[in-house]
Amino acid sequence: MANTVSQHQARTAHPGLKAWVDEIATLTQPDQVHWCDGSVEEQGLLVQTLIDAGTVEKLSETRRPGSLLARSDPADVARVEDRTFICAQREVDAGPNNHWRDPEEMRATLHALFEGSMRGRTMYVVPFSMGPLGSPISYIGVQLTDSAYVALSMRVMTRMGQPALDVLGADGDFVPCVHSVGAPLLDGAKDVPWPCNGENKYIVHYPETREIWSFGSGYGGNALLGKKCFALRIASVMARDEGWLAEHMLILKVTSPEGEARYIAGAFPSACGKTNLAMVVPTLPDWKVETIGDDIAWMKFGEDGQLYAVNPESGFFGVAPGTGARTNPNAVDMVSRDTVFTNCARTDDGDVWWEGMTGEPPAHAIDWRGQDWTPDSESPAAHPNARFTVQAARCPSMAPEWEDPAGVPISAIMLGGRRPNVIPLVHEATDWEHGTFMGSIMSSETTIAQAGEVGKLRFDPMAMLPFCGYHMGDYFAHWLTVAQREGARMPRIFYVNWFRRDDDGAFLWPGFGENSRVLAWIFRRITGEGEAVQTPIGLLPPVGEGGIETDGLDVSPETMAELLAVDTEGWLAQLPQFREHLERFGDKLPPELIAQLDALEERLRAG
Ligand code: O2Y
Ligand code: MN
């Protein structure tokens, strides 16, 4: 560690940061410590390190310029919720939505695992800003990692390197994030292409001290600690304590044919097409939709009482399978170069391929496990959670102001899930409290015919169940409290459902670009021009005149009526499940939400 101190002097004057880096280096015993500056030269060095290690291969410069393909260990392919822990001092503060362990016990467990865990490896010191550099909505983190793949990915997903250290200065606050793949190279042992520790994964958060420790995985949300761990689990705690919102939401800019723009955030559970919606190409003539973010929104109050949002990330870590010219043309363009692909298939001409990318599969490919693959193979060519990692600046639909340090004013929040029945295409909350209730009962329906499972609701309130760093009952209370702030002008709340099906299982709504019709109705509601009818469940677009624009839409008037009907029997049948779900949160559940449920039942019964 002889050169650690001189590197400190070059990079930072922050005594707390230097001391912490030394402490973790002493614990984990890396061969070298590398302070990341975020430069292009450093990017080249990281890429070469990964090529030499066999972690990535270069794709064809003609087919996919500047791009790489990584194949992970088959035991390390996704977030691991059952190994994700919120170690609050008191179990009750983690809530039934989290796995809790006593922080002192967890510290002892992790100390033993991290001791010597970086031997034979380089420890990268990765300073990063979540949110535009220097914005009052942003925060600084520093991740220590023994994975060059993670360091390279953090350069894409965050503002990483010297500029983040400069913002931190000599005495700024930062969220410490410690990460090891948990595979020390003892006595010169040969490395493997994707080191990890499949048996011993721990994704640990200490909410009171705002720390993150991650062991054993090099994949995505487990390892790129700025994303789910910091920007959602730790940030949700910071937001609760400081009076703002850290949410699992995309952010869109919608511009009407008259040239007026509004910003809309949207909470959707994983695998509901969030990235596609964030980059949607509207079919509705003369409307424009642009992207601010696809996954996370940090929203703080401006002086005018509105919530101003930033996308804390600077890149996209999107699911590749299903991404194609029909579902997301902007993403197809975006990943045409300078992209890191993970667990996609490689074609014989040195490109990548995944299911849903093209109509025609290649006649031959190397699948995500490195095996020969043909269309007759029994398993998919790309892993279902195969990913692209790419800078947001590459996305053709980014709004020019996506990095504005002031953030963008949020006029509406959309909530949604996968509901084949009951929930209409769109309905609007009557006020913030009603909208909070709608968010609290957000759910998707199980459709696979397992005995007794069909029609059962899986709840994912505000799409935050896996990402809220504290008790969900307190989280609901926080939503209600922020609206009490003097002068608060809260966004309007809408519940959308693109996933209604008919009796034969066919989708009733075409989705994708046609979702712009729903966005346009939401826009008109926000600006006060749109019509709505009051119903027991909230405000719905009228069917026909004044409602959803249907010119040029291939959906019959009968189907539109079905999509926008209130299924009173269906809602009534689901109320017991809503009640059971909310009661899970016990004493911490705000009484306002049960009052909302009771009032909904009363309105439904009154017809
Ligand atoms: O499996 C992973 O590690 C990634 S999960 C993910 C990635 C990007 C955006 N959202 C998610 C999610 O699970 O919500
Ligand atoms: Mn997500």
Side-chain angles (χ1 to χ4, degrees), residues 383-570:
H383 187 278
N385 196 34
R387 296 275 167 173
F388 52 77
T389 311
V390 60
Q391 261 160 4
R394 277 223 35 83
C395 177
S397 60
M398 290 316 280
E401 65 274 42
W402 80 274
E403 298 204 85
D404 187 338
V408 295
I410 298 297
S411 301
I413 290 175
M414 288 184 290
L415 310 164
R418 252 176 202 274
R419 294 294 308 268
N421 50 41
V422 182
I423 305 283
L425 178 62
V426 56
H427 66 297
E428 181 185 346
T430 46
D431 57 26
W432 180 262
E433 188 179 298
H434 181 222
T436 303
F437 167 70
M438 282 179 171
S440 75
I441 56 162
M442 258 173 68
S443 49
S444 294
E445 195 156 321
T446 50
T447 50
I448 301 159
Q450 298 156 304
E453 283 285 274
V454 176
K456 199 166 182 317
L457 299 181
R458 283 225 175 96
F459 290 94
D460 187 356
M462 285 82 165
M464 281 291 279
L465 202 65
F467 305 120
C468 180
Y470 60 102
H471 195 300
M472 204 90 209
D474 288 334
Y475 169 86
F476 297 145
H478 177 57
W479 265 58
L480 296 174
T481 308
V482 285
Q484 307 301 321
R485 182 190 164 106
E486 175 134 23
R489 292 163 58 199
M490 301 309 284
R492 304 266 280 271
I493 299 182
F494 298 81
Y495 197 137
V496 300
N497 178 23
W498 322 127
F499 299 99
R500 287 287 296 271
R501 291 179 188 259
D502 65 16
D503 293 341
D504 299 324
F507 284 111
L508 292 177
W509 178 250
F512 303 110
E514 300 295 16
N515 293 340
S516 58
R517 296 171 189 274
V518 175
L519 294 176
W521 182 74
I522 291 174
F523 183 104
R524 297 289 188 212
R525 290 294 299 158
I526 304 165
T527 55
E529 307 150 283
E531 289 180 32
V533 281
Q534 185 92 45
T535 79
I537 62 167
L539 299 151
L540 268 93
V543 180
E545 195 70 15
I548 304 278
E549 171 65 68
T550 53
D551 263 9
L553 175 70
D554 189 16
V555 175
S556 70
E558 296 72 35
T559 301
M560 281 310 295
E562 194 179 343
L563 282 163
L564 295 172
V566 178
D567 174 1
T568 305
E569 289 312 309

Side-chain angles (χ1 to χ4, degrees), residues 78-79 219-222 227-228 248 270 295 317 385 387 467:
R79 288 192 294 109
Y219 202 90
N222 304 328
K227 194 172 178 61
K228 302 298 186 180
H248 189 201
S270 312
D295 196 35
F317 183 63
N385 196 34
R387 296 275 167 173
F467 305 120

Side-chain angles (χ1 to χ4, degrees), residues 269-314:
S270 312
C272 278
K274 213 162 134 209
T275 302
N276 295 346
L277 182 61
M279 298 173 193
V280 71
V281 178
T283 50
L284 207 50
D286 304 322
W287 286 80
K288 189 167 174 188
V289 181
E290 291 163 280
T291 311
I292 304 285
D294 82 325
D295 196 35
I296 300 173
W298 283 358
M299 295 180 272
K300 289 189 179 173
F301 285 100
E303 277 174 13
D304 60 0
Q306 287 198 85
L307 283 174
Y308 282 77
V310 297
N311 169 8
E313 302 186 278
S314 64

